[in-house]
Amino acid sequence: MPPPSEPAQDLPLPLARTTTGWTASAEIDTRHDWNVQLAPENNHWRIRGRLQKDTQASRLASAVGDG
């Protein structure tokens, strides 16, 4: 996955468990896609995905082997 074009716009969001999965409350600009990365504070592992514009959910997958 390419690096973000504007790192200053990175949004660290804490997640909360719900009955349907995990969620983070935030107001983000949905007029464009976002790269999504989920990792613990120690960055011991990570999973990545993409939030498509005008959507509210993302499918995440292992970041192993992607450089």
Side-chain angles (χ1 to χ4, degrees):
M1 188 172 296
S5 59
E6 297 183 44
Q9 291 190 20
D10 286 357
L11 300 171
L13 302 172
L15 296 176
R17 185 184 284 271
T18 69
T19 57
T20 57
W22 293 85
T23 188
S25 296
E27 291 196 27
I28 62 169
D29 183 355
T30 59
R31 295 174 295 175
H32 61 83
D33 293 358
W34 288 85
N35 292 328
V36 177
Q37 179 172 287
L38 176 64
E41 288 186 22
N42 66 6
N43 288 317
H44 185 71
W45 54 266
R46 68 183 182 276
I47 54 179
R48 293 181 171 174
R50 191 149 181 92
L51 179 65
Q52 302 292 324
K53 74 176 191 171
D54 298 324
T55 64
Q56 296 182 9
S58 176
R59 181 175 300 271
L60 302 174
S62 171
V64 172
D66 68 354

